Amino acid sequence: MEIKNLRKFRSLVRNQLPFIDTLSDYDIVVEIGYHQELRRPFSLKQLLLSEFAAPATIRRRLSRLVSLGVVVKRVDRDDGRFVRLTLEREPYRRLRHMARLVEPVGVRVAT
C-alpha cells in the first residue's frame, strides 16, 4: 500500500466518522462496533484491558464519545458491576458503511 492510500483512508475516516478525533477514539469505536456486529456483549472492563491506551485515556475518550451520543453505556440489571458498551444506531451505521467501502487488506508482520 502506498502512503497516499493511507491519506485517502484517513480522509474517509474524517468524512464517515466525524466524531473521531484521536487514534484512541478510532480504536474504541471499532472495537465496540466489532463486538456489536458479532452480537457479543462488550464490557468496559474488556475495553480497559485492550491496552489501546492507558486506562485513564480510555476512560476520558470514552466519556467524550458517550457525551457526543456515539457510545451507550448500560449497567447490567442482574450484575451492576458489568457495564455494557454499544454504539448508537447512526454511528454504528456509519462504521458499517465505511467498512464496506474499504477493501480487505492483507497485513504482513515482520518476524
Side-chain angles (χ1 to χ4, degrees):
M1 176 183 275
E2 296 179 28
I3 293 173
K4 71 179 180 179
N5 291 335
L6 293 175
R7 293 181 76 214
K8 288 179 185 177
F9 177 76
R10 181 63 184 127
S11 178
L12 177 65
V13 170
R14 273 195 303 274
N15 290 328
Q16 291 297 313
L17 308 173
F19 43 82
I20 299 291
D21 280 347
T22 67
L23 186 56
S24 293
D25 291 348
Y26 178 82
D27 290 337
I28 290 167
V29 168
V30 169
E31 195 65 21
I32 294 170
Y34 172 73
H35 285 85
Q36 191 168 336
E37 182 176 58
L38 296 176
R39 298 178 189 265
R40 291 185 186 158
F42 189 64
S43 71
L44 175 58
K45 182 177 180 177
Q46 288 171 292
L47 183 61
L48 293 171
L49 292 173
S50 66
E51 299 182 359
F52 294 135
T57 300
I58 291 174
R59 286 183 185 277
R60 187 174 59 253
R61 300 312 300 176
L62 181 62
S63 287
R64 178 186 165 279
L65 292 167
V66 168
S67 70
L68 290 173
V70 175
V71 175
V72 178
K73 289 169 65 173
R74 289 188 179 92
V75 177
D76 189 276
R77 283 180 280 205
D78 298 327
D79 183 353
R81 298 170 297 172
F82 187 82
V83 178
R84 181 178 308 225
L85 303 172
T86 57
L87 298 178
E88 284 285 2
R89 184 181 200 151
E90 181 62 16
Y92 182 63
R93 185 195 67 75
R94 286 174 167 265
L95 185 65
R96 288 182 51 89
H97 176 71
M98 191 180 98
R100 285 190 298 272
L101 295 176
V102 177
E103 289 183 29
V105 177
V107 178
R108 196 173 356 161
V109 179
T111 56

